[in-house]
Amino acid sequence: MANLANGLANMIKLTFFGALSDLAASAPEEIEYDKSINTPDAIRQWLRESHSDLADELYQQYILVAINDTLSDWQTEFDDGSHLVFMPPVTGG
Amino acid sequence: MHRQIRIQTDDFNLADEYQAIRNNNHTGAIVTFTGLVRELENLEDKQNNSIDALTLQHYPGMTEKLLGEIIDEAEQRWPLHAVTVIHRVGKLLPTDQIVLVATASAHRNAAFKAAEFIMDYLKTRATLWKKVTINNEDHWIEQKESDRIHSSRW
């Protein structure tokens, strides 16, 4: 099974945009998938230990989360191999 | 309807984009809106800061999808012949072009309204983020209440 952990399985990918991207400069881009961390809410709880500034911002009510390019809510369960994206309110135009 | 959505670092040429949607015999009105980088920007604590640069970040794939949905909605509301949306990303300087919205219709009312609607929705829905550099310090821009109000009136 070890070779499955080769970036292709048992991993989830994290992307942060806007002000979150600066706070996440030292945060991992990929983390090991674990059944106990299978919702965006669990990810932000997990980040509290290592990246408290980033985690605090993730608890702001205006932060949006997408799972595999679909807007989702914080309690949505995701699968191994998922891509999670965290976003502040948009400011283009 | 002819539609074009582009997210790019390169500049765009307004005349070329205008010509590209001028070729429909039924079109009687084309509206183009261009957004530019202003030199002066207000931050939460200070007014009229002179910026060195504006940097735009976006969520690849998602931005194009959301712009497509905004154009779908405009098309349901007004009889449009063409819509072009071009948004630049990366580092831009004062006076640079940021965004182009062009709409073509038989009559001006639909073209004006659709262009305004697309810009209002783009500002509150499309996954783009701006930061300004002032005296070598980066500041992420926050979403404006006025933009939310403009978007909610449609």
Side-chain angles (χ1 to χ4, degrees):
Chain A
M1 286 299 284
N3 59 344
L4 285 178
N6 200 13
L8 298 170
N10 305 111
M11 297 296 276
I12 56 166
K13 191 179 165 200
L14 306 179
T15 302
F16 301 88
F17 284 113
L20 296 173
S21 62
D22 287 348
L23 294 171
S26 64
E29 289 176 13
E30 280 189 308
I31 63 170
E32 206 164 321
Y33 176 71
D34 171 341
K35 279 277 182 207
S36 69
I37 304 179
N38 66 347
T39 63
D41 190 48
I43 297 267
R44 63 184 175 181
Q45 281 179 39
W46 176 80
L47 282 168
R48 269 184 158 159
E49 284 180 30
S50 56
H51 296 80
S52 57
D53 289 355
L54 174 62
D56 284 350
E57 191 61 22
L58 291 174
Y59 277 94
Q60 298 293 331
Q61 53 102 19
Y62 49 74
I63 300 293
L64 299 174
V65 59
I67 300 172
N68 300 324
D69 296 340
T70 301
L71 282 177
S72 303
D73 69 52
W74 292 91
Q75 304 304 333
T76 302
E77 291 188 13
F78 54 78
D79 298 323
D80 182 16
S82 290
H83 180 201
L84 270 74
V85 173
F86 300 92
M87 300 170 275
V90 302
T91 55
Chain B
M1 192 194 74
H2 177 274
R3 71 163 68 193
Q4 182 166 209
I5 297 168
R6 287 182 356 229
I7 306 294
Q8 60 189 44
T9 52
D10 291 344
D11 200 7
F12 53 83
N13 184 301
L14 179 59
D16 291 347
E17 302 307 330
Y18 170 72
Q19 285 298 337
I21 58 171
R22 238 193 94 188
N23 53 5
N24 182 328
N25 289 345
H26 303 287
T27 294
I30 292 177
V31 165
T32 65
F33 168 82
T34 313
L36 306 177
V37 180
R38 269 190 304 276
E39 190 193 333
L40 298 179
E41 187 66 42
N42 296 332
L43 295 176
E44 57 278 4
D45 48 345
K46 274 196 297 189
Q47 305 276 303
N48 291 333
N49 300 277
S50 192
I51 71 160
D52 306 316
L54 174 78
T55 306
L56 276 138
Q57 192 184 56
H58 89 116
Y59 177 174
M62 181 66 98
T63 313
E64 294 87 341
K65 184 174 117 183
L66 293 169
L67 289 172
E69 290 174 10
I70 293 168
I71 295 172
D72 288 343
E73 201 158 335
E75 197 178 1
Q76 283 167 22
R77 293 175 185 230
W78 298 282
L80 300 170
H81 300 158
V83 174
T84 299
V85 177
I86 301 173
H87 207 299
R88 294 179 69 195
V89 292
K91 186 178 172 184
L92 302 175
L93 301 175
T95 76
D96 279 355
Q97 303 187 112
I98 307 174
V99 59
L100 170 74
V101 170
T103 54
S105 186
H107 300 283
R108 70 181 185 283
N109 188 47
F112 272 129
K113 289 251 167 61
E116 198 173 13
F117 169 86
I118 290 166
M119 269 311 299
D120 283 350
Y121 266 41
L122 181 158
K123 282 187 97 73
T124 51
R125 296 179 186 207
T127 42
L128 290 139
W129 296 273
K130 275 186 192 134
K131 71 176 172 189
V132 290
T133 309
I134 299 168
N135 296 329
N136 293 321
E137 263 186 42
D138 288 341
H139 305 265
W140 287 96
I141 299 286
E142 289 183 11
Q143 197 177 65
K144 294 187 180 81
E145 177 65 20
S146 58
D147 288 335
R148 287 193 285 273
I149 292 167
H150 282 136
S151 181
S152 64
R153 71 193 158 141
W154 294 100

